[in-house]
Amino acid sequence: MDKEFTSEQLQRYQRQMMLPGIGLAGQQKIAESRVFIAGAGGLGSPAGYYLAAAGIGRICMADDDVVELSNLQRQIAHNTERIGMSKTKSAEISFKSLNPNVEFLAIQQRITKENVAALIEDHDIVLDCSDNLSTRYLLNDACVLMSKPLVSGAVAGFTGHVTTIIPGQGHCFRCIFEDMDPYDKSLDSQPGILGAFAGVIGSIQAMETLKIITGIGETLQNTLLIYDGLKSEFRRVHAARNRDCPACGENPTIKISGRG
Amino acid sequence: MAVTVRIPTPLQKLTNGVEEVESSSGSVMDIINDLDAKFPGIGERLAENGKVRRFVNIYVNEEDIRFLQAELTFINDGDEISIIPAIAGGSK
Ligand SMILES: [Zn+2]
């Protein structure tokens, strides 16, 4: 499996290969990894950008939207000239121009319960950068079923969440948020957001991904990280596998199902 | 010292925009009742018939009350309660 790096690559990745725990072996793991990113928006842009920069072997990004002017204050993988272009194509151009070593797969599709398994199947890690709870549950359920690590990020207003799910080794998304709260109709609305704020959460997702790949440090496994952008405060709460979880509990009732 | 209850943004419309409410020690249910006395309507949103609603997540300091004694969990002065709803958005 030893990958020979070119001198261009050795120079490109020099500063991260100097880090304890990464080195040549860690860079090889990064170069061999295949990452699936759900969503090419406010979280997928920074997460994908940093993963491409770090030299991930293959990034597959799925999103069915096209670039709009109102996206550009936060979705930095796109630009003004690409309004009307598919977001995944636009992200491909940005990421490949930053780092041509990365293989990029653009999937201009909405993630559904019919295609989710096929989309994530060939990937080592899944990033949830989606914009709705249906997709979040769908990705969680598929990742639990297929034992894929899932790095979930979400933002609303000045509140952000990140958690890292390693199926079989701890909690899943439904262990924390079992299902959509029928009382909370505001959840799927689209409140305001600052690009820099989404950038913080997407960057943490990229960090989590690189830690899973290289094995350095501690991930947010069994932890929900909560970022309060107004107070510049990070808080952590403990997440644990719930024996009654419908996805990963002792008697799971969910196969692969989302809602809608 | 009192108990601090952190109200998440989506529920702040029930607390007139207040982010942190002080309460006194007691069970989680006592504190929900106290919250409801201060901000009528929030109790019904969080609990029903003396039980925390199924999809409502309440943490005492860093721990999920589901893994403690649920609504009967005793909250001491100095503890912090957070109500944490799921967030949908990735700002697409
Ligand atoms: Zn679970």
Side-chain angles (χ1 to χ4, degrees):
Chain A
M1 257 319 240
D2 256 21
K3 186 174 158 47
E4 289 282 328
F5 287 110
T6 63
S7 60
E8 185 269 350
Q9 290 166 329
L10 290 173
Q11 219 175 321
R12 179 184 288 271
Y13 304 126
Q14 184 184 30
R15 290 291 291 273
Q16 66 196 48
M17 287 170 66
M18 290 162 89
L19 287 167
I22 297 190
L24 189 64
Q27 193 60 45
Q28 265 164 354
K29 289 180 192 162
I30 295 170
E32 282 159 11
S33 62
R34 301 156 304 170
V35 171
F36 180 83
I37 303 178
L43 298 174
S45 288
Y49 242 134
Y50 279 121
L51 291 175
I56 294 287
R58 184 171 81 187
I59 295 175
C60 176
M61 207 168 206
D63 198 308
D64 63 339
D65 269 351
V66 296
V67 178
E68 292 173 37
L69 183 57
S70 62
N71 300 149
L72 298 179
Q73 54 77 265
R74 63 193 185 282
Q75 302 185 11
I76 56 169
H78 316 307
N79 68 33
T80 313
E81 284 73 50
R82 301 195 201 128
I83 289 168
M85 184 187 288
S86 94
K87 284 188 183 175
T88 50
K89 180 67 195 166
S90 166
E92 174 172 15
I93 297 168
S94 296
F95 299 167
K96 296 278 294 192
S97 100
L98 175 63
N99 187 354
N101 295 292
V102 174
E103 187 192 333
F104 190 94
L105 240 70
I107 310 277
Q108 198 189 353
Q109 278 177 36
R110 189 172 178 78
I111 297 165
T112 65
K113 59 172 177 285
E114 285 74 31
N115 68 12
V116 64
L119 286 175
I120 70 173
E121 192 172 24
D122 290 333
H123 299 91
D124 307 309
I125 299 176
V126 176
L127 274 75
D128 183 352
C129 299
S130 71
D131 66 343
N132 66 87
L133 279 172
S134 311
T135 306
R136 294 187 181 283
Y137 286 115
L138 200 52
L139 288 167
N140 177 71
D141 298 346
C143 285
V144 166
L145 217 71
M146 300 169 79
S147 280
K148 304 275 185 196
L150 171 66
V151 180
S152 172
V155 287
F158 294 105
T159 304
H161 286 178
V162 190
T163 188
T164 292
I165 292 158
I166 313 285
Q169 291 180 35
H171 80 296
C172 83
F173 191 72
R174 285 191 194 269
C175 292
I176 311 178
F177 305 112
E178 187 185 325
D179 209 334
M180 276 181 255
D181 185 344
Y183 272 75
D184 208 334
K185 296 174 187 74
S186 61
L187 282 180
D188 266 322
S189 68
Q190 298 199 318
I193 186 81
L194 277 171
F197 183 77
V200 172
I201 298 299
S203 298
I204 295 174
Q205 289 183 273
M207 263 303 284
E208 288 294 297
T209 305
L210 292 166
K211 287 191 292 178
I212 296 171
I213 293 168
T214 57
I216 59 169
E218 289 164 34
T219 67
L220 291 169
Q221 188 182 329
N222 288 326
T223 302
L224 174 67
L225 182 72
I226 303 165
Y227 175 47
D228 180 330
L230 287 179
K231 292 187 178 149
S232 295
E233 180 187 62
F234 284 97
R235 287 195 300 139
R236 304 158 67 101
V237 295
H238 182 218
R241 179 165 170 247
N242 179 359
R243 279 179 300 172
D244 300 324
C245 173
C248 77
E250 281 164 7
N251 297 296
T253 51
I254 285 165
K255 300 302 171 206
I256 293 185
S257 77
R259 285 208 188 159
Chain B
M1 236 207 248
V3 174
T4 307
V5 185
R6 299 174 75 122
I7 310 292
T9 313
L11 293 184
Q12 285 170 18
K13 54 183 181 285
L14 297 171
T15 61
N16 311 317
V18 174
E19 290 169 50
E20 283 186 12
V21 181
E22 301 237 304
S23 189
S24 31
S25 64
S27 72
V28 169
M29 213 45 231
D30 291 338
I31 289 168
I32 290 176
N33 290 333
D34 180 48
L35 272 183
D36 195 58
K38 290 174 175 135
F39 303 105
I42 196 166
E44 182 217 7
R45 177 65 188 74
L46 299 175
E48 187 179 39
N49 302 325
K51 285 204 166 285
V52 171
R53 284 189 187 279
R54 187 163 171 204
F55 301 128
V56 171
N57 289 299
I58 298 180
Y59 289 79
V60 179
N61 304 323
E62 291 188 358
E63 295 302 323
D64 189 334
I65 62 164
R66 263 188 296 231
F67 299 117
L68 301 170
Q69 285 85 48
E71 45 279 316
L72 301 178
T73 307
F74 193 84
I75 311 301
N76 294 296
D77 279 344
D79 283 345
E80 187 177 84
I81 293 189
S82 335
I83 303 156
I84 304 180
I87 295 181
S91 83
K92 197 167 153 182

